[in-house]
Amino acid sequence: MIAGTEAYYVGSPAANNKARNSNTSMYIRYHSTKLRDVTILSETNISVGAFMNFTSLETIKLPNTLETIEAYAFFGCTKLLDFVIPDTITKIGNYSYYNCDSITQIDLPTQLSELGNFAFAECDGITSIVVPDTLQAIGSPSFSNCKKLSTITFNSGYLGEYMFSNCTAITELEIPDIVPTLPEGCFYKCTGLEKINFPAGLKEIGYQGYFTFEARSSFLSADKRREYTADTRISQISLDLRIQEERLLYEIGKYILTSYDCFEE
């Protein structure tokens, strides 16, 4: 059940009810631009687009019965500030909190296993997050363009493509040994990044995986934690990473030459 001014929703096909109990899902029937405070008393699912573009919504209280937050659930709730995502949540869908730029802190649920595409993208107020160790599936740029995000704690070895792209406030990264791969574009255009600590077990860096090679300061190596500066020679980089870079340069050159029909193997 939901409490709040001008809130209309149903949990079943029945129509024209202001408030109705549901044991399965909750979704708003009529859009409201005036709704500010919401308390959901008993639901297991926030359905697709439930509070989408409720631009006056500031506070929402979610019950510990919730299991999933579906796509676009709080999309564009630009004033949403006061809320806690229950630890019972296992899935947060695509674009679920997209452009909620008043949010300053996110505590991802400790049972979260699936995080959708663009789930918290464009949330300019977020300053820190903890990636829980239960995450097993992460969509593309889930935290992209979070301009104030500066602190990331990794408890999971799973990362998503372009997950933190264009998060320009990140200056330093401590990537733990449980992370075997930096996916494509994971830290793409993080132009403030000055120092990164690669784990000894890192096996692969995807295309544009961590920075744009315009690093302004120093980086920490993977195995011996040696500090490298921007003019570090390629010979000082680990053999595995050199091989990957050479392969990448080869593929880029091959693509360009093939485009002009002048490539020979």
Side-chain angles (χ1 to χ4, degrees):
M1 190 172 183
I2 187 170
T5 306
E6 296 189 6
Y8 294 81
Y9 79 95
V10 293
S12 72
N16 299 320
N17 289 334
K18 279 191 175 183
R20 183 181 182 91
N21 284 321
S22 169
N23 293 322
T24 55
S25 63
M26 189 283 299
Y27 40 123
I28 299 297
R29 174 168 291 277
Y30 301 114
H31 177 261
S32 172
T33 58
K34 297 180 180 180
L35 187 66
R36 292 185 179 180
D37 303 296
V38 169
T39 298
I40 300 172
L41 303 180
S42 178
E43 300 292 343
T44 59
N45 178 51
I46 304 294
S47 293
V48 175
F51 296 92
M52 184 176 181
N53 289 326
F54 275 43
T55 52
S56 294
L57 185 63
E58 297 175 0
T59 301
I60 186 163
K61 295 180 180 179
L62 303 175
N64 288 328
T65 55
L66 273 181
E67 297 174 3
T68 59
I69 296 176
E70 298 291 355
Y72 300 93
F74 299 99
F75 178 103
C77 293
T78 54
K79 292 186 179 179
L80 182 60
L81 178 62
D82 185 9
F83 74 100
V84 174
I85 304 177
D87 282 336
T88 52
I89 295 288
T90 59
K91 173 188 174 183
I92 297 177
N94 299 339
Y95 292 89
S96 48
Y97 288 91
Y98 182 88
N99 198 30
C100 294
D101 53 14
S102 292
I103 297 173
T104 58
Q105 182 177 349
I106 288 292
D107 293 322
L108 293 177
T110 56
Q111 297 184 41
L112 185 67
S113 61
E114 182 178 348
L115 185 64
N117 298 330
F118 294 91
F120 293 94
E122 304 283 349
C123 292
D124 286 345
I126 297 176
T127 59
S128 65
I129 66 159
V130 176
V131 182
D133 58 6
T134 51
L135 262 181
Q136 297 180 2
I138 304 175
S140 293
S142 47
F143 290 92
S144 177
N145 290 313
C146 293
K147 300 295 187 182
K148 294 182 180 179
L149 178 61
S150 59
T151 304
I152 306 168
T153 302
F154 300 95
N155 290 332
S156 171
Y158 289 89
L159 299 176
E161 293 184 353
Y162 295 89
M163 186 173 182
F164 300 103
S165 59
N166 210 29
C167 292
T168 54
I170 300 174
T171 60
E172 184 174 348
L173 285 171
E174 177 77 24
I175 302 175
D177 288 341
I178 58 174
V179 177
T181 301
L182 292 185
E184 178 177 335
C186 188
F187 297 99
Y188 178 60
K189 287 192 175 180
C190 292
T191 54
L193 185 58
E194 297 180 348
K195 187 175 290 187
I196 184 169
N197 205 11
F198 292 115
L202 187 65
K203 298 178 180 178
E204 181 179 354
I205 297 177
Y207 178 57
Q208 295 178 329
Y210 63 101
F211 62 98
T212 60
F213 295 102
E214 294 178 356
R216 297 174 303 184
S217 184
S218 59
F219 293 84
L220 296 180
S221 73
D223 33 6
K224 295 184 179 179
R225 310 301 189 197
R226 289 169 53 188
E227 189 170 288
Y228 294 142
T229 57
D231 62 352
T232 297
R233 296 180 180 179
I234 189 68
S235 61
Q236 292 178 296
I237 300 175
S238 69
L239 178 60
D240 289 343
L241 294 182
R242 271 190 285 156
I243 292 172
Q244 289 183 45
E245 183 177 4
E246 289 169 3
R247 287 175 179 171
L248 176 60
L249 292 173
Y250 171 81
E251 292 298 328
I252 292 173
K254 178 180 176 180
Y255 174 80
I256 294 172
L257 292 172
T258 302
S259 299
Y260 287 93
D261 197 26
C262 58
F263 175 79
E264 292 184 4
E265 192 72 56

